[in-house]
Amino acid sequence: EAGSIPVFLKADLDKEDSRCVRSLHHWYNSPALIVDTWDDLYPTMTALMKNITELDSQQERMGMWYEKYMRNIIADFEDLMLAPLPATDTTDSEDMVLAKVTAAKGKKWKKTKIKGKKTKKTKR
């Protein structure tokens, strides 16, 4: 990873499936290479290799973007984990507890079926 410039197909960044809706959309704002088809990769890389100064600059911007991105992911996770949980009653249903936690955390959650397991709560 260190020093790399990721390459994505534009269609993959826009892809939606039932598990992770637009899970890669944040890469649009990164200095990663985004190509329409894999056939576009060679000419794109050839042009970039002709300008080593720009290649070095893009590599540096990618490193700074990724570090900031990961710091934000960690901060969001810590905020979620450290936020106080609401009081729940032992008579509350699973859905009621989920609703209270959702309201307290300010996040949208949904139930997702996992193969071989009952249900799991996941962040949208």
Side-chain angles (χ1 to χ4, degrees), residues 16-58:
E16 294 188 25
D17 65 32
S18 61
R19 294 174 291 145
C20 295
V21 177
R22 296 194 69 214
S23 61
L24 298 174
H25 75 277
H26 55 272
W27 286 92
Y28 270 120
N29 297 323
S30 77
L33 293 178
I34 301 170
V35 294
D36 291 322
T37 70
W38 287 120
D39 292 336
D40 297 334
L41 181 59
Y42 182 77
T44 301
M45 290 298 299
T46 300
L48 199 54
M49 293 297 291
K50 287 181 180 177
N51 187 344
I52 297 300
T53 303
E54 176 57 28
L55 176 63
D56 288 343
S57 175
Q58 186 162 356

Side-chain angles (χ1 to χ4, degrees), residues 83-100:
L85 291 175
T88 58
D89 189 301
T90 57
T91 61
D92 284 346
S93 68
E94 180 183 351
D95 287 335
M96 179 57 73
V97 171
L98 179 61
K100 288 181 178 181

Side-chain angles (χ1 to χ4, degrees), residues 70-103:
M70 290 307 296
R71 287 182 189 274
N72 288 336
I73 293 291
I74 291 167
D76 288 349
F77 179 75
E78 288 174 343
D79 290 347
L80 179 68
M81 298 307 294
L82 297 174
L85 291 175
T88 58
D89 189 301
T90 57
T91 61
D92 284 346
S93 68
E94 180 183 351
D95 287 335
M96 179 57 73
V97 171
L98 179 61
K100 288 181 178 181
V101 170
T102 299

